[in-house]
Amino acid sequence: MNLFILNEKEINEKIAREILDLVKDKPSCVLGLATGSSPLGVYEELAILSKKENISFKDVTTFNLDEYVGLNPSHNQSYRYFMNDKLFSHIDIPIQNTNVPDGINYQDSMDYYDQKIALKGGIDIQLLGIGSNGHIAFNEPGTSCDSFTHVVDLKESTIKDNARFFDSINDVPRKAITMGLASIMQAKKIILIAKGKNKALAIRRLFTEGIDISLPASILKKHDNVDIYCDEEAASLLKGDRAC
Ligand code: F6R
């Protein structure tokens, strides 16, 4: 795993540049996308730069990691809504090229999401955030390394972390559909973004401990093409003692 400790602006610019270079080199590339606060700046940068540099996303296909079970795509906290609002409506990607697991008819996504990714040739770059408990996508501590797209019960810590986006903690869905750890590991390249102090412990564990299902992100150590971007706060507990 390669570690980059940069400020927020540098993180956004560097990752957006890498994605745009991929789109230029391979216009029909496949992007794996995340929601949440971590990739927001990257999406803003992608929207600005793709217009400025006239880079088209018309042949790109995207697959999002996850969706809340029970939220309609039109719900303003659904991940489909988030992606349309924060990225898809700002670039020229045809909406039919964008895939988000279905939080209502989730059986279909459970059965076919990984197949759909494979049929497109697999994910070229997978963007990830990390939960304060070390989850990636909604693969909570204890998730099997062999998991593909599946429905999960969200842990209390995740519900608390995500309550900031809802009117009340009681409105946060208790279940989600998520790509599994095995689904994520099939991506050709993985870029994980960690910003803020509440990620510091998970990042410390990621770089100082071995692979353990209590920290789902630790499976990334088995992948040979992973870049981890941290801001100073997320890297604050590393103290230079890294074991990648
Ligand atoms: C979102 C996702 C989650 C988030 C993680 C961090 O699609 O898969 O794993 O990446 O919960 O969330 P933020 O970025 O809001 O801190």
Side-chain angles (χ1 to χ4, degrees):
M1 297 189 299
N2 306 306
L3 174 65
F4 302 94
I5 303 172
L6 300 170
N7 67 38
E8 183 153 0
K9 188 168 180 289
E10 291 166 335
I11 293 176
N12 298 336
E13 285 173 356
K14 239 182 151 250
I15 299 174
R17 174 51 52 208
E18 182 165 349
I19 293 173
L20 288 170
D21 285 349
L22 172 69
V23 175
K24 268 198 275 185
D25 287 352
K26 185 180 175 188
S28 63
C29 65
V30 180
L31 301 176
L33 301 177
T35 58
S37 48
S38 305
L40 264 181
V42 173
Y43 296 156
E44 279 169 21
E45 203 63 31
L46 280 178
I48 294 168
L49 290 179
S50 63
K51 274 194 195 85
K52 198 168 152 195
E53 298 175 16
N54 212 9
I55 299 170
S56 176
F57 280 68
K58 72 178 174 36
D59 295 321
V60 171
T61 301
T62 65
F63 288 91
N64 262 82
L65 288 165
D66 41 19
E67 177 61 282
Y68 288 116
V69 163
L71 294 194
N72 268 304
S74 58
H75 189 290
N76 67 5
Q77 289 308 329
S78 77
Y79 286 173
R80 163 52 80 181
Y81 186 98
F82 177 103
M83 290 309 300
N84 289 353
D85 186 41
K86 305 295 184 203
L87 181 64
F88 301 148
S89 61
H90 303 282
I91 56 177
D92 66 345
I93 193 165
I95 205 72
Q96 66 272 17
N97 289 10
T98 68
N99 298 276
V100 179
D102 192 325
I104 302 291
N105 301 311
Y106 49 84
Q107 189 62 48
D108 241 35
S109 297
M110 275 170 64
D111 292 345
Y112 301 118
Y113 207 65
D114 292 283
Q115 269 182 43
K116 263 179 108 172
I117 295 172
L119 280 172
K120 283 285 168 189
I123 288 171
D124 292 295
I125 292 183
Q126 175 67 61
L127 273 189
L128 295 177
I130 182 169
S132 60
N133 65 2
H135 73 219
I136 48 175
F138 274 134
N139 294 287
E140 298 282 29
T143 304
S144 159
C145 295
D146 300 326
S147 53
F148 287 94
T149 302
H150 63 295
V151 168
V152 294
D153 291 318
L154 298 180
K155 295 273 189 221
E156 233 14 75
S157 58
T158 301
I159 292 168
K160 271 195 200 127
D161 283 352
N162 291 4
R164 68 191 194 277
F165 298 115
F166 289 81
D167 290 339
S168 131
I169 193 164
N170 298 324
D171 295 338
V172 184
R174 269 33 192 178
K175 284 182 188 290
I177 174 156
T178 180
M179 281 167 61
L181 293 175
S183 321
I184 292 169
M185 289 295 281
Q186 286 179 343
K188 290 161 201 154
K189 162 131 201 208
I190 295 174
I191 297 177
L192 184 146
I193 306 167
K195 293 179 189 166
K197 234 187 167 40
N198 67 327
K199 307 297 170 71
L201 194 57
I203 291 298
R204 175 171 168 76
R205 289 189 62 198
L206 180 60
F207 281 97
T208 56
E209 297 178 14
I211 298 169
D212 191 301
I213 56 166
S214 70
L215 189 82
S218 64
I219 192 170
L220 299 178
K221 287 171 185 279
K222 281 194 192 165
H223 197 289
D224 61 9
N225 197 1
V226 179
D227 288 346
I228 312 261
Y229 286 85
C230 294
D231 67 6
E232 289 289 345
E233 287 191 339
S236 59
L237 296 179
L238 280 177
K239 297 180 196 139
D241 48 356
R242 288 161 209 158
C244 303

